[in-house]
Amino acid sequence: MRSGLRAIIGVILAGTFASCSPLPIFSQYTTKDHHPVPEYWICEGTAPLDHVIRLKIGLRSAGSNELERHLHEISDPSHSRYGQHLSEVEVRSLTAPDSRTHNLVERWLQEHGIEDPQYNLAKDWITVSIPVRTVNRLLNTEYQVYRHLEEPDEPLIRTSHWSLPIHLHRHIDVIQPTNSFFRPRSRRSQSWKRDSSRNENDIIKTYEELKAEDLAKKPHIVVPEAQNLPPHPTVAQACNRFAVSPLCLRTLYGTLDYVPQAAGKNKMALVNFLDIGTNRSDIGLFLERFRPDAVDAAQEFSTELVNGALDDQSPNTAMPPEGNLDVEAILGVAYPTPLISYNVKGKPPFKADNFTTKNTNEPYLEWLQYVLAKPELPQVISLSYADDEQTVPYSYAKRVCEGFAQLGARGVSILVGSGDEGVGRNGTCFSNDDAHKKTFMPKFPASCPYVTAVGSTRYFEPERVGFDARNDFVSGGGFSNYFPRATFQQEHVGRYLTDHLKSEHNGLYNSDGRGIPDISAMGYHYPVVWNGTAHLIDGTSASAPAVAGIIALVNDALIAEGKPPLGFLNPWLYKNADAFSDVTIGSNRGCDTKGFPAAEGWDAATGLGTPWFPELKERALASRFRQLRPWPLLAAEDRDDPSGSDDDDSSTLLDEESILPSSVKTEGDESPKDPFKPFDDLPDEDRNILTFRALLVGVLCGALVNASNIYLGLKSGWTASANIFASIVGFTVLKSCARYAAHIPLLGGDFGPRENNIVQTAATAAGGMSNVFVSAFPALYQLGLMESPVKDFWRITTLTAVGGYFGYFFATPLRKFFIIYVARELHLIFPSSSATAFTIRSMHQAGEGESAQRKMRVLFYAFCFAFAIRVLSQYATGILWDWHPFTWLFLLTNSKAMLAVESWAWYIEWTPAFIGSGMGIIGPILSSNDVAFGIPKTDDPPWLGLTNWFSLGEEFTSALHPSPRYWLLWPGILCMVAVSLTELLCQWRIFWLSGRAVWRAGREYLTNSRKSYEYDAVDDKAQSKLIEDPAAPEDQVKIWMWLPGLLTILILTCLVTYIQYGMAIGETCLALLLTFFFSFLAIQATGATDITPLTGASKASQIILGTTTKGQGWTIETSQRMNLLGGALTSIGANQAADLAGDFRVGFLLRTSPKLQWFAQGIGTFCAVFIAPATFVLFATAYPCINDAAAETCAFQVPSVSAWRAVAVAVTNPTVPIPVSSRNFAIAFAALGGVMAVVRHAAWTGRWEWVRRYHPNMMVVSLAFVIPATVYGTAMLMGACVAAVWSRRHPKSFTMYGYAVAAGFMAGEGIGGVMNAILQIAGLSGDVWGTGVGCPGRIC
């Protein structure tokens, strides 16, 4: 046992020293990004040191995750915020780096002589023009000159890797140009061909037939013209598949008869990179020939030149035809929708030299910065450019993709060609690393999940995968190696992989990656006018602008009806997959394979299929758009307006994916830019916040919650935290003190959010440790292992004290570990604690806190109502509290069947409840088959037939003559234990990662002196997950403050358990070791899931302790006492440690001094040591049945007590009298519970994750077997129905007052229960002075 204690202390010390080490301002360089040089690039030597590079530095956005959450919500048609796009200012506020990032990066640049860096408008990009020698030193790298074998005349200056000081890794995302090797690809063009669509037998041509047809020479092609066709032509009439005109596209995809209605409000755009532009003369000739009504558009569309780009309008330009194709395709479909052409080139000054004759600045970054700074944007943008994903550095691709996400959040649809090389160019499909293995080549930016990737088709009725044998064009598709598959794709892509692809191409693609393309459209033989002559061009670069035109028309229909545009398309597309025409013929050949085959549903060659505009328009118009402005970014005054609409069209203000529980999220809450970053918008409090008034209010709130928890725990087995309750009450009380008692010592003075945090912290500590008084201690009394609560008061108090202070001292060093060191790595958000911080923050941001004052009034009214009804109802229980409809029916009909139903406790109790029920159905089955037995409740002749089925007396706790309650107890207990332990095991990965983090911290501490220790020892991945601790060194809890206390408590625990309970020292040490272990897991689980697994921890400790007591020669009574006391220690310590660690999370977000929080926790814990035992003694004195398992009637069901007692008996008594049928059913039921827990964790993931919300909670089902009544389930159902109707009809008021009402009811009933206990002891209770009217047998 001594070695176990050394292990405990060693791990705590290692974690503390590791996490408390200071973060260096500047530190050594480590590699930030390494990207292998792609194939066919040849290094020619070192770059000239005087060559100037225009370096762009991308700073880490503080809220990229938060932006993605907003984007998914406003793009999901099933979400309440669908269509509520953000503005430029709102997006910028979510993604702007913090001031610390700016300061650190600027100081780093200044160290290298770089002054006055240029920021973009959003201040997330820095641009500096510096010579190569400075860049080499700045990035600790060496730039080289590279040439591509296919373009040897265009050298490129790049490096394969670059480094940063380690402290800047988490502040800088990307720097370019560094290791990117982009090569723009030209589209394929040919001359005109003749018409033919089917072979002689009118059968769809095979690939080989079409390939031969492509390669054959053909005469002039005749393209159908509208004036020669009927008003509503068929595809066969309007199309020649060798020259796909705008008339053909409009007929094929159903836009021909649509007349745009909102051209003045709707816009579309396309982007040309590098030296590509548009020629209006050529476009005019094209429109005159193929879309005569749109010929004026050739001069009307606008061109915006980005960063010095050109707009070459000379008649014979050397400029490629790509820009003309985009304009002609999109205008041919969507005219008269206004069009913008962005021509993008690198920023000046660009100086050509012997080494860089062509501008090689990164195209996407220049354009994204330009367009994101604009307050108004076109609703659709087509981008026809692709390169092999592996040639693009991941850091660059991720940052560009985040830029597309910002556009999507602002309501812009981005359509991108999926590539023109199938799954990859033949002979070039090898990984860009040392392995050099064969692999497919997905394209970027099509692989970005925030763009809509568009593939190509050819042929008509039916369409097939696009290709052209003459120029090796094949429509691109596959799976990203950079970006995982989004949730909206999971079902469709997963079906393709399992039903169609199966094992084909295994090892050549990433089966977990984002699927490409999303949709497709015709991309074969588009007529294009270029330099005055007609050409034919293939490619997804033609498909993308054509689809963009169709989406622009869908937006036109939406805008005409006052609805928002579609914005980010993909979630909507996949929810409306059946609106597309499926393409099932062909494959996207490449990499010397047949590529991915087209198939029913989504496939990696054509996506969901091709669009049909009439259906898409109807689906879009049928979408349920809520208010146009997103709630989370509304001004505080708009959110708090009490006169705001509560109709059904209002935003629900809640989101299921938020880290905050919806029941506690306030209407003023804004989600943080980064959940692991403290708030930076709270006022400073330059005074002592550990005040007498804060501690007093906190302890009083905690006392109320403690007493309430014991009442509710004895009834239902559940307890609640004091966090939110104390935050709201503390705000209201201390705000009033600051206003009305300003000059009164100890009460007056300013009041801020951090003092509010002290109130909450003290309340949480003072409200804790009630869990063992609704479980372990009553179980000890029911088994006759202690005398009486009154006589044992000090024994109970001392055990509570050592357990509580063990959790207190143990949680202290783990603040650094769980809140700072591994929080981001393990995603420990502590949802309830975060919700508490948000609540405090929102109340203090709302001026005088009118919102909080209103909530407090509602909470107070709810509290008073619940308190009054609980106290008064004891005098007329059958009228005010319990409604017995079957008793009423019996009195009306004299039907014995009604008494039989009443006997099974089917009645309504007007009480908050948290559990369901199961016994009311199974019990009658048991009794009717003579498996379980009851006893008459009364001898009164009118009430004969009223039966007590719930006895746990000696007669009814045998294997041969059990009551239904006793029979059902064992399946419930065993399933509860199985589920709780399985749930713990299902978190193995989190615990494994946490254990690794502890090991890493200890190892690094042992290999580095404390004085010189820095986080440099952590690898890049771990370094990027570190969190800055906002607490100054003087505000930290020093090791000398907590370590002596922890050691003292360990010693005192051994003495207390030995002297007062006769518990062996070894058994106590084992219990402490289990307490340490399960406290660690409890904090971990609470941070990750918001559920503290006390049931699993306590049951596991009981089982372990039970095995150690066997063979010791102890009596059964001694073994049971040791078992329950050891479990109680574990439960107290784990509960207190998890609660206080959560408090530290609140303080972290609010930037409260951990040291002051620690003092408040200590004071609160001291008060809880006396409050919890005293409240228990009060209830035990008023209701002795709590401690008597054989009591026939009792006001409390004590389900947790039954569970603890049953486990203690089962693991210590070899002859437990369990009915055989109950035992067999218990084993099967426990197995079912364990399997259901595993299924919940393992099966309902990915595309099946939505099933989780409907998965039965087996812990609740198990508890229903233990509780011998149905009233809690019916009460919960009634409350849930009220909440559902309220939130649906009046979402704003529900969000504002829902929690206040619930908290008031729970606290009011709990304190009312305390008052009833006092009246019971005083002889003034309803038992003496009340009436039994309405109760069965006149007894309630």
Side-chain angles (χ1 to χ4, degrees):
M1 292 305 160
R2 289 193 297 271
S3 62
L5 291 176
R6 287 200 299 269
I8 295 173
I9 298 170
V11 170
I12 294 176
L13 286 173
T16 303
F17 290 149
S19 57
C20 289
S21 300
L23 184 68
I25 298 177
F26 295 107
S27 50
Q28 67 184 27
Y29 272 77
T30 60
T31 301
K32 170 65 175 176
D33 194 14
H34 176 267
H35 189 72
V37 178
E39 200 166 11
Y40 304 112
W41 286 94
I42 306 300
C43 178
E44 294 190 340
T46 304
L49 297 181
D50 292 332
H51 176 78
V52 175
I53 293 179
R54 193 167 186 82
L55 208 63
K56 302 187 73 65
I57 303 171
L59 307 182
R60 176 72 53 87
S61 297
S64 58
N65 292 337
E66 187 64 13
L67 174 76
E68 291 178 9
R69 184 178 71 84
H70 283 286
L71 175 61
H72 286 299
E73 290 178 2
I74 63 182
S75 306
D76 181 355
S78 64
H79 200 278
S80 60
R81 294 181 57 207
Y82 180 55
Q84 300 172 10
H85 304 126
L86 310 184
S87 70
E88 179 262 334
V89 174
E90 290 167 335
V91 169
R92 187 158 18 108
S93 70
L94 283 171
T95 58
D98 59 27
S99 58
R100 176 174 169 79
T101 294
H102 289 144
N103 293 337
L104 289 174
V105 174
E106 287 181 9
R107 289 179 62 183
W108 169 60
L109 293 175
Q110 289 169 3
E111 282 195 337
H112 292 273
I114 303 170
E115 303 287 346
D116 301 323
Q118 300 176 24
Y119 283 98
N120 65 334
L121 181 63
K123 299 199 74 175
D124 59 347
W125 284 97
I126 291 177
T127 303
V128 293
S129 295
I130 52 179
V132 168
R133 64 164 51 87
T134 304
V135 182
N136 285 344
R137 188 171 66 253
L138 184 72
L139 302 181
N140 193 27
T141 188
E142 186 174 11
Y143 275 71
Q144 308 285 337
V145 178
Y146 293 90
R147 294 183 190 270
H148 195 276
L149 292 179
E150 296 179 0
E151 296 176 346
D153 296 332
E154 295 181 358
L156 197 66
I157 294 182
R158 292 293 187 269
T159 182
S160 62
H161 66 277
W162 51 279
S163 302
L164 288 174
I166 196 168
H167 74 280
L168 291 180
H169 279 225
R170 61 182 181 274
H171 295 282
I172 294 176
D173 278 337
V174 63
I175 297 179
Q176 292 293 344
T178 49
N179 51 2
S180 57
F181 293 82
F182 298 138
R183 293 183 62 240
R185 307 292 173 84
S186 299
R187 300 176 179 89
R188 283 79 175 169
S189 62
Q190 312 177 17
S191 31
W192 296 80
K193 307 174 184 68
R194 67 179 174 83
D195 184 20
S196 174
S197 59
R198 302 264 179 164
N199 65 13
E200 292 78 1
N201 298 319
D202 199 39
I203 300 174
I204 298 172
K205 290 180 180 288
T206 66
Y207 170 77
E208 294 300 331
E209 288 173 326
L210 290 175
K211 179 178 178 181
E213 191 176 74
D214 287 342
L215 297 174
K217 293 184 178 180
K218 302 174 182 70
H220 181 70
I221 299 173
V222 177
V223 180
E225 299 181 12
Q227 61 267 29
N228 300 325
L229 299 176
H232 304 288
T234 64
V235 172
Q237 293 171 327
C239 293
N240 180 331
R241 66 188 181 88
F242 286 111
V244 181
S245 67
L247 174 64
C248 174
L249 291 173
R250 295 168 69 202
T251 304
L252 180 64
Y253 298 132
T255 68
L256 185 62
D257 297 326
Y258 180 75
V259 179
Q261 310 163 62
K265 299 179 181 178
N266 188 27
K267 292 182 180 180
M268 56 189 181
L270 53 87
V271 189
N272 296 309
F273 292 116
L274 302 177
D275 295 325
I276 299 174
T278 57
N279 187 282
R280 296 178 185 272
S281 175
D282 287 340
I283 295 168
L285 292 174
F286 173 87
L287 294 174
E288 184 179 359
R289 172 70 174 83
F290 296 109
R291 186 76 195 264
D293 62 320
V295 69
D296 291 340
Q299 304 301 323
E300 292 173 351
F301 75 86
S302 63
T303 299
E304 297 188 16
L305 305 180
V306 182
N307 302 328
L310 303 176
D311 186 20
D312 187 359
Q313 297 299 321
S314 59
N316 290 298
T317 177
M319 180 175 58
E322 285 88 339
N324 284 5
L325 169 64
D326 286 349
V327 175
E328 292 164 7
I330 198 168
L331 283 178
V333 172
Y335 175 81
T337 306
L339 172 67
I340 302 171
S341 174
Y342 297 110
N343 290 3
V344 185
K345 194 172 185 178
K347 272 189 176 181
F350 170 70
K351 182 180 180 181
D353 56 24
N354 292 333
F355 297 93
T356 313
T357 58
K358 183 178 180 180
N359 193 329
T360 56
N361 284 345
E362 315 307 339
Y364 297 125
L365 297 182
E366 305 288 352
W367 173 69
L368 281 170
Q369 289 185 51
Y370 171 83
V371 75
L372 286 170
K374 299 177 72 67
E376 295 185 3
L377 295 172
Q379 287 84 355
V380 177
I381 298 177
S382 173
L383 196 154
S384 299
Y385 176 81
D387 205 349
D388 292 340
E389 185 183 57
Q390 71 168 4
T391 68
V392 183
Y394 172 72
S395 59
Y396 178 87
K398 182 175 181 292
R399 188 57 184 262
V400 168
C401 196
E402 289 174 358
F404 290 137
Q406 293 181 43
L407 289 174
R410 293 180 59 183
V412 179
S413 303
I414 310 291
L415 294 108
V416 176
S418 64
D420 298 345
E421 297 174 341
V423 294
R425 233 180 352 158
N426 290 339
T428 67
C429 302
F430 298 97
S431 61
N432 191 26
D433 55 23
D434 294 336
H436 199 63
K437 66 177 182 178
K438 185 173 181 178
T439 183
F440 287 164
M441 295 289 177
K443 302 298 181 184
F444 180 81
S447 62
C448 170
Y450 301 121
V451 304
T452 299
V454 183
S456 284
T457 60
R458 66 178 288 178
Y459 223 83
F460 303 113
E461 298 179 330
E463 294 178 71
R464 62 179 297 155
V465 179
F467 73 93
D468 190 340
R470 181 178 288 264
N471 54 29
D472 295 329
F473 156 65
V474 184
S475 179
F479 299 86
S480 173
N481 292 315
Y482 282 178
F483 301 102
R485 187 155 55 250
T487 303
F488 52 75
Q489 268 199 328
Q490 288 287 6
E491 179 180 356
H492 298 273
V493 179
R495 189 181 303 121
Y496 175 70
L497 294 174
T498 56
D499 296 350
H500 299 289
L501 204 56
K502 299 179 181 177
S503 62
E504 190 174 0
H505 304 315
N506 278 359
L508 297 179
Y509 70 96
N510 174 22
S511 61
D512 296 322
R514 180 263 204 275
I516 310 165
D518 298 298
I519 54 178
S520 289
M522 186 61 59
Y524 178 79
H525 285 193
Y526 273 47
V528 176
V529 176
W530 176 56
N531 283 342
T533 59
H535 299 261
L536 292 176
I537 292 185
D538 306 315
T540 58
S541 305
S543 306
V547 174
I550 295 171
I551 298 301
L553 295 182
V554 176
N555 283 338
D556 179 272
L558 289 169
I559 294 171
E561 291 199 6
K563 296 182 177 182
L566 290 172
F568 173 42
L569 289 172
N570 293 357
W572 183 79
L573 295 180
Y574 285 90
K575 283 187 181 291
N576 292 280
D578 57 340
F580 292 85
S581 301
D582 202 1
V583 178
T584 59
I585 304 173
S587 65
N588 52 2
R589 296 166 178 261
C591 294
D592 301 297
T593 71
K594 290 184 178 180
F596 294 110
E600 291 184 3
W602 184 93
D603 57 69
T606 61
L608 298 171
T610 58
W612 178 242
F613 170 73
E615 184 66 22
L616 293 178
K617 176 172 69 74
E618 292 306 315
R619 297 287 183 96
L621 291 173
S623 297
R624 187 182 178 199
F625 295 94
R626 278 73 168 187
Q627 63 187 42
L628 295 184
R629 186 160 175 77
W631 167 75
L633 297 179
L634 286 176
E637 58 271 19
D638 295 331
R639 294 194 295 266
D640 293 335
D641 182 8
S643 63
S645 171
D646 281 339
D647 60 34
D648 194 44
D649 289 334
S650 299
S651 170
T652 64
L653 313 186
L654 300 174
D655 56 273
E656 297 173 358
E657 298 173 11
S658 172
I659 62 168
L660 306 182
S662 58
S663 61
V664 297
K665 189 169 182 178
T666 70
E667 78 289 346
D669 293 340
E670 292 181 20
S671 299
K673 295 178 179 179
D674 181 348
F676 303 104
K677 177 182 176 183
F679 303 143
D680 54 8
D681 54 357
L682 295 176
D684 292 330
E685 295 173 73
D686 53 351
R687 55 183 178 75
N688 177 40
I689 60 173
L690 188 68
T691 60
F692 169 79
R693 63 181 184 180
L695 294 173
L696 177 63
V697 173
V699 168
L700 290 176
C701 286
L704 289 176
V705 171
N706 206 318
S708 178
N709 274 340
I710 291 180
Y711 167 83
L712 295 173
L714 290 172
K715 287 180 71 70
S716 64
W718 293 86
T719 58
S721 169
N723 278 343
I724 305 290
F725 179 82
S727 299
I728 296 175
V729 174
F731 176 88
T732 304
V733 173
L734 296 195
K735 196 72 173 178
S736 299
C737 287
R739 179 181 299 176
Y740 302 115
H743 303 296
I744 299 178
L746 302 180
L747 296 180
D750 294 336
F751 173 60
R754 294 171 188 87
E755 188 177 0
N756 206 156
N757 183 199
I758 295 297
V759 175
Q760 169 266 321
T761 298
T764 301
M769 296 187 289
S770 58
N771 54 309
V772 290
F773 293 99
V774 301
S775 56
F777 280 122
L780 283 163
Y781 287 108
Q782 287 191 2
L783 290 171
L785 304 177
M786 296 178 68
E787 293 187 57
S788 72
V790 175
K791 293 181 179 179
D792 295 327
F793 177 78
W794 290 110
R795 296 174 70 194
I796 296 173
T797 301
T798 52
L799 188 68
T800 305
V802 294
Y805 275 102
F806 175 87
Y808 169 68
F809 287 116
F810 179 78
T812 304
L814 295 183
R815 173 192 177 271
K816 271 283 188 179
F817 184 78
F818 281 117
I819 308 299
I820 307 297
Y821 190 53
V822 298
R824 191 186 299 276
E825 182 178 357
L826 303 183
H827 203 66
L828 303 182
I829 292 180
F830 292 86
S832 290
S833 299
S834 297
T836 302
F838 279 105
T839 300
I840 294 174
R841 174 198 189 204
S842 66
M843 291 188 299
H844 287 268
Q845 285 182 332
E848 292 300 312
E850 289 299 325
S851 170
Q853 299 285 356
R854 292 198 299 271
K855 286 181 187 174
M856 182 59 195
R857 284 196 293 270
V858 170
L859 189 152
F860 177 74
Y861 296 150
F863 176 92
C864 291
F865 172 79
F867 177 85
I869 197 69
R870 175 64 284 199
V871 173
L872 296 177
S873 65
Q874 66 175 314
Y875 299 103
T877 305
I879 300 172
L880 298 177
W881 194 252
D882 291 339
W883 285 6
H884 296 261
F886 294 104
T887 292
W888 304 342
L889 289 173
F890 165 72
L891 294 174
L892 291 174
T893 64
N894 201 32
S895 170
K896 295 296 184 180
M898 296 300 101
L899 278 186
V901 177
E902 177 66 52
S903 297
W904 292 104
W906 280 104
Y907 60 95
I908 299 171
E909 184 167 289
W910 298 101
T911 173
F914 309 97
I915 57 174
S917 62
M919 182 175 174
I921 296 174
I922 300 177
I925 298 175
L926 297 175
S927 63
S928 64
N929 288 279
D930 293 328
V931 176
F933 308 91
I935 185 173
K937 271 191 175 182
T938 177
D939 296 331
D940 192 358
W943 296 95
L944 290 178
L946 190 63
T947 306
N948 177 10
W949 300 105
F950 310 128
S951 175
L952 288 179
E954 183 176 352
E955 179 184 355
F956 294 96
T957 55
S958 66
L960 299 178
H961 195 264
S963 68
R965 179 180 180 185
Y966 184 74
W967 193 100
L968 288 167
L969 179 68
W970 296 105
I973 296 300
L974 191 58
C975 186
M976 191 183 302
V977 172
V979 172
S980 58
L981 294 180
T982 304
E983 289 283 352
L984 275 178
L985 293 175
C986 286
Q987 301 294 334
W988 68 269
R989 186 175 181 274
I990 295 178
F991 299 144
W992 166 251
L993 291 175
S994 182
R996 285 179 55 192
V998 171
W999 170 255
R1000 187 179 65 216
R1003 183 186 61 194
E1004 289 168 359
Y1005 173 70
L1006 294 176
T1007 56
N1008 296 272
S1009 67
R1010 184 181 180 190
K1011 181 177 180 180
S1012 62
Y1013 179 83
E1014 296 179 351
Y1015 284 132
D1016 294 4
V1018 183
D1019 59 25
D1020 290 349
K1021 184 176 180 180
Q1023 177 69 27
S1024 66
K1025 296 179 180 180
L1026 292 178
I1027 299 173
E1028 177 189 355
D1029 191 346
E1034 61 270 19
D1035 289 325
Q1036 303 285 356
V1037 182
K1038 307 299 183 183
I1039 190 172
W1040 61 263
M1041 300 171 67
W1042 62 265
L1043 183 57
L1046 180 59
L1047 296 175
T1048 302
I1049 284 297
L1050 293 175
I1051 296 171
L1052 286 177
T1053 303
C1054 294
L1055 293 175
V1056 167
T1057 54
Y1058 178 75
I1059 295 173
Q1060 295 200 338
Y1061 296 95
M1063 191 170 179
I1065 300 297
E1067 196 76 6
T1068 301
C1069 290
L1070 176 59
L1072 287 172
L1073 186 62
L1074 292 174
T1075 304
F1076 158 76
F1077 178 72
F1078 286 115
S1079 296
F1080 192 85
L1081 295 191
I1083 298 173
Q1084 169 73 52
T1086 303
T1089 68
D1090 206 33
I1091 298 174
T1092 305
L1094 291 182
T1095 300
S1098 58
K1099 299 299 174 289
S1101 64
Q1102 281 188 273
I1103 293 172
I1104 294 171
L1105 290 167
T1107 60
T1108 63
T1109 58
K1110 293 181 180 180
Q1112 300 288 331
W1114 295 343
T1115 64
I1116 291 179
E1117 290 76 11
T1118 300
S1119 297
Q1120 290 175 350
R1121 184 183 302 109
M1122 300 304 100
N1123 184 277
L1124 289 169
L1125 289 172
L1129 273 177
T1130 299
S1131 183
I1132 296 173
N1135 187 49
Q1136 195 74 345
D1139 282 350
L1140 300 187
D1143 281 345
F1144 281 131
R1145 164 70 177 175
V1146 179
F1148 164 80
L1149 290 174
L1150 296 175
R1151 298 179 183 268
T1152 306
S1153 165
K1155 183 167 64 176
L1156 298 184
Q1157 276 191 287
W1158 188 71
F1159 288 138
Q1161 290 171 344
I1163 295 171
T1165 300
F1166 178 80
C1167 296
V1169 164
F1170 298 98
I1171 294 171
T1175 306
F1176 171 68
V1177 169
L1178 174 66
F1179 277 103
T1181 303
Y1183 306 99
C1185 58
I1186 292 173
N1187 296 328
D1188 182 5
E1192 298 297 336
T1193 60
C1194 189
F1196 299 93
Q1197 309 296 342
V1198 292
S1200 293
V1201 179
S1202 301
W1204 279 68
R1205 185 189 71 246
V1207 172
V1209 170
V1211 299
T1212 58
N1213 189 345
T1215 59
V1216 181
I1218 303 177
V1220 174
S1221 57
S1222 175
R1223 181 193 62 198
N1224 295 339
F1225 181 77
I1227 294 171
F1229 191 48
L1232 174 64
V1235 170
M1236 291 289 282
V1238 172
V1239 168
R1240 176 177 172 272
H1241 283 276
W1244 308 142
T1245 60
R1247 63 192 177 108
W1248 296 104
E1249 191 167 1
W1250 61 273
V1251 180
R1252 279 196 181 189
R1253 69 180 65 182
Y1254 304 107
H1255 187 89
N1257 187 330
M1258 293 303 294
M1259 183 66 77
V1260 174
V1261 176
S1262 305
L1263 198 57
F1265 278 72
V1266 179
I1267 298 179
T1270 63
V1271 293
Y1272 302 120
T1274 54
M1276 184 180 69
L1277 177 62
M1278 290 187 291
C1281 291
V1282 171
V1285 173
W1286 186 5
S1287 64
R1288 172 71 63 175
R1289 296 293 182 86
H1290 305 287
K1292 191 170 183 178
S1293 64
F1294 175 77
T1295 303
M1296 184 168 187
Y1297 301 121
Y1299 172 78
V1301 171
F1305 279 167
M1306 292 182 68
E1309 182 181 338
I1311 302 306
V1314 174
M1315 177 56 70
N1316 284 356
I1318 296 173
L1319 295 174
Q1320 184 80 21
I1321 294 173
L1324 300 175
S1325 68
D1327 294 347
V1328 179
W1329 301 96
T1331 177
V1333 173
C1335 297
R1338 293 189 174 274
I1339 300 173
C1340 279

